[in-house]
Amino acid sequence: MTDRGRSVAVVGAGIAGLCSAKLLSEFGFDVHVYDRTPDVGGVWSVTRRYPGVTTQNNKGTYAFSDFPMPDEYPEWPTGEQVQRYLDDYVEHFELRRLLRLGTEVVSAEQDLVSERWTVTTRHLDSSETAVGEYDYLVVANGIFCDPFVPPYEGRTEYEAAGGRLCAASDFHDLADAADRDVLVIGYGKSSCDVAEALSDVAASTTVVAREVTWKMPRRIANIVNYKYILLTRLSEGLFEHIEQRGFGRFLIGSGRFVRNGLLGAVERVARRQLRLDRIGLVPEGSFERIVRHAVSLATEGFYEKVEAGTISVRRGRSIAVLREKDGRPVAELDDGTVLPADVVVCATGFMQRVPFLSAAVQEHLFDEDGNFLLYRQILPNEVANLYFVGYGSSLFSPLSAEAAALWTVNHMLGGAIPPVEERRAFVRTRLDWMIERTEGKQARGTNIIPFSLRHVDEILDEIGVNVGSGTRLLQWLLPARPSSYRHAARELNRRHAATDPATGPKTGVDVAPNNRTGAVRGDTSP
């Protein structure tokens, strides 16, 4: 243990914040978790769930290593079920005492001498402010925290005519779309989810998409669960990494014909299964581009409704102006088409922001283009005692967050890392590569997809608690099981306890009782 204190402020009570709080408290830190929402969950909070939202992952891979989802949950849990799961996680690991919900972090200022943090918060019910002093600050507000709504021309006139413009995460009640003309902007999973759900009640539903992208069916050919295609090491090996290794070198080298054959086969099945040729929604480029920005699962029922005419898609179009026409709110597209638009729901991405950090701190976090400069997507090179958890988009969000939280704990406890010059070079090289492979859609330097497991490897290898070679070999053919990583916290504890008996978990809990059956929850992935 270092000679610093043990107090930590965590910003955010979603997946990243909760697992950070759990691990930090188990290793003897005094933790407070702040979140402006009234419940835990982050993107799964009741304040942010849009109609039709489900996980992209199956329940066996979207879970913490030591707390699997309930057996009775469906293969793809709803947003409400995920939030309930996270609340159960809080209850089981006795984290409630650490939470400061309904409390916004207004500012976090660092003393340049002591390098401690002064955190000012405001309770949203009473507007009362409070000030706390902490040794460390963990930012876990997530990269999907602040939705981006385009600044459309004519918004004032449009809203005066009765129109509603909002982000998908701010649209909660299906009844608000009943018998209304709805436009959904974007073509990611959120936009298709929203369009499919609202089309059941809306007078008309139109998706306006500047670009249509490849989607992965939940079950390929209605038989093979997509997890066997995308959530394995083999799937990552199909795409070229800047430091390709092992069998991946074969797949992008002399064995490229195998790679191309596999991707081509999946593309042909997806085109046929989703009726893309029939409805005119075949994306540009090959199926390989599905990982350019974010892998998107096909929404159940969406393409069937497009084919039936229940949902229309304006491909290659965007809104030029919002305005009023004949006393009604309308949207004029960039080709001059005018569409009735009582409601415009924007599923147009998110802004990765940390507004509570001072300008002096923020100038050390970004490059000249506004991209985060974080070693392992966690550590700023120029700001002491500041950590980011959950700042890498991943196909295994809970597992990636746990890995980052373990790395954070290890560093706080004095774990060694490379010299700052080496870290700077590593971050710059990886960021330049990220920008190139995502074609400029790097989400301010946080887009690690499709290399989710590789990223977990690099984090856990650096602190010496990764899974063994046998597990990694199995993951080439089968989806990675979060429970395979449950040993990592125990191993890290043993190592630090050997040098500091005061450090270590306060509980020996390894399994989570199922509150519904009284049995021990087992990992539900194959």
Side-chain angles (χ1 to χ4, degrees):
M1 184 72 188
T2 65
D3 58 2
R4 290 191 57 80
R6 293 172 178 257
S7 59
V8 186
V10 177
V11 183
I15 284 173
L18 293 178
C19 70
S20 295
K22 171 188 174 288
L23 288 165
L24 285 164
S25 61
E26 286 182 347
F27 278 80
F29 289 89
D30 181 17
V31 183
H32 289 160
V33 182
Y34 296 100
D35 200 298
R36 63 192 180 193
T37 63
D39 56 355
V40 299
V43 296
W44 305 107
S45 165
V46 67
T47 64
R48 300 188 59 193
R49 294 199 301 264
Y50 56 82
V53 63
T54 64
T55 61
Q56 287 217 112
N57 286 56
N58 67 302
K59 66 179 179 180
T61 56
Y62 197 82
F64 294 113
S65 64
D66 53 0
F67 198 72
M69 284 201 174
D71 292 338
E72 65 268 23
Y73 273 21
E75 183 75 344
W76 286 275
T78 66
E80 181 182 359
Q81 288 171 325
V82 177
Q83 194 282 326
R84 194 184 315 141
Y85 162 78
L86 294 174
D87 198 66
D88 287 347
Y89 179 84
V90 168
E91 195 66 29
H92 178 75
F93 291 108
E94 300 179 355
L95 304 180
R96 197 83 59 189
R97 58 191 169 82
L98 310 180
L99 303 179
R100 307 293 184 269
L101 299 178
T103 304
E104 180 181 20
V105 173
V106 178
S107 66
E109 302 280 346
Q110 188 176 45
D111 184 279
L112 297 181
V113 177
S114 68
E115 296 182 333
R116 300 187 80 235
W117 293 91
T118 299
V119 178
T120 302
T121 60
R122 179 175 59 240
H123 198 280
L124 298 185
D125 284 342
S126 63
S127 296
E128 293 181 1
T129 59
V131 178
E133 300 287 332
Y134 298 92
D135 297 296
Y136 303 97
L137 180 65
V138 174
V139 178
N141 62 341
I143 57 177
F144 305 116
C145 181
D146 293 322
F148 171 71
V149 175
Y152 292 124
E153 179 185 347
R155 177 173 181 171
T156 301
E157 177 183 331
Y158 168 80
E159 292 180 335
R164 178 185 178 185
L165 174 68
C166 66
S169 57
D170 293 326
F171 195 99
H172 308 300
D173 193 347
L174 208 60
D176 291 343
D179 301 320
R180 311 192 78 187
D181 294 306
V182 176
L183 266 59
V184 180
I185 315 304
Y187 198 71
K189 181 178 183 297
S190 297
S191 58
C192 294
D193 283 351
V194 169
E196 194 284 328
L198 300 191
S199 68
D200 287 338
V201 299
S204 68
T205 305
T206 302
V207 173
V208 179
R210 190 164 46 189
E211 178 185 16
V212 297
T213 53
W214 288 103
K215 306 282 186 179
M216 175 68 80
R218 285 183 173 181
R219 297 188 184 278
I220 308 300
N222 294 313
I223 298 172
V224 180
N225 191 310
Y226 93 103
K227 65 185 179 182
Y228 296 104
I229 307 297
L230 275 184
L231 302 181
T232 65
R233 289 184 184 273
L234 175 59
S235 69
E236 292 190 13
L238 297 175
F239 303 96
E240 187 167 357
H241 193 277
I242 192 173
E243 296 178 17
Q244 201 78 19
R245 62 188 185 188
F247 187 61
R249 291 178 182 171
F250 168 76
L251 288 173
I252 57 93
S254 60
R256 199 172 185 87
F257 69 94
V258 177
R259 166 201 186 268
N260 293 344
L262 288 171
L263 288 173
V266 175
E267 176 181 326
R268 288 190 294 274
V269 173
R271 287 179 69 155
R272 182 170 60 253
Q273 185 174 340
L274 301 179
R275 306 168 171 85
L276 299 183
D277 291 276
R278 193 182 311 170
I279 60 180
L281 292 180
V282 177
E284 295 183 3
S286 67
F287 192 78
E288 180 178 353
R289 298 184 81 233
I290 192 172
V291 299
R292 180 172 56 99
H293 184 206
V295 173
S296 183
L297 211 59
T299 300
E300 293 290 289
F302 176 81
Y303 291 101
E304 291 85 348
K305 287 185 175 182
V306 173
E307 185 178 29
T310 307
I311 297 173
S312 64
V313 178
R314 299 282 178 154
R315 176 178 182 168
R317 300 271 68 92
S318 60
I319 292 179
V321 62
L322 296 173
R323 58 184 177 86
E324 173 269 336
K325 180 181 180 181
D326 300 327
R328 290 199 58 194
V330 298
E332 183 177 329
L333 305 187
D334 54 1
D335 64 352
T337 302
V338 176
L339 300 175
D342 298 306
V343 180
V344 176
V345 181
C346 297
T348 43
F350 295 83
M351 299 176 288
Q352 291 74 38
R353 303 189 307 137
V354 282
F356 46 86
L357 294 177
S358 67
V361 170
Q362 291 201 44
E363 70 180 17
H364 295 298
L365 300 180
F366 307 105
D367 69 2
E368 62 277 6
D369 297 318
N371 297 301
F372 280 93
L373 297 171
L374 303 174
Y375 180 66
R376 303 294 185 205
Q377 306 296 135
I378 302 168
L379 185 73
N381 288 320
E382 317 295 341
V383 184
N385 307 321
L386 175 63
Y387 304 85
F388 290 75
V389 176
Y391 267 66
S393 60
S394 172
L395 297 179
F396 295 88
S397 295
L399 180 60
S400 294
E402 280 189 278
L406 281 168
W407 192 99
T408 297
V409 167
N410 185 67
H411 188 258
M412 288 182 183
L413 295 175
I417 57 174
V420 66
E421 295 81 6
E422 186 176 329
R423 301 198 309 268
R424 287 195 192 105
F426 177 87
V427 171
R428 188 68 256 176
T429 299
R430 286 297 179 91
L431 179 59
D432 289 344
W433 170 61
M434 184 189 297
I435 293 170
E436 178 183 3
R437 67 177 173 78
T438 63
E439 301 176 17
K441 296 183 180 295
Q442 71 275 11
R444 297 193 73 185
T446 65
N447 184 5
I448 65 172
I449 289 174
F451 304 105
S452 306
L453 290 174
R454 177 64 179 269
H455 183 63
V456 170
D457 280 346
E458 292 178 342
I459 292 173
L460 297 184
D461 280 342
E462 189 160 84
I463 61 176
V465 295
N466 200 6
V467 294
S469 57
T471 298
R472 291 197 297 272
L473 179 61
L474 190 64
Q475 291 171 346
W476 270 87
L477 296 177
L478 296 177
R481 299 168 58 163
S483 62
S484 299
Y485 295 82
R486 67 187 308 159
H487 74 284
R490 296 196 299 267
E491 176 59 32
L492 194 64
N493 169 54
R494 279 194 292 267
R495 184 186 312 160
H496 286 288
T499 57
D500 183 359
T503 301
K506 299 177 181 179
T507 174
V509 172
D510 284 337
V511 294
N514 188 320
N515 295 331
R516 295 166 180 79
T517 66
V520 173
R521 285 184 181 173
D523 189 56
T524 55
S525 59

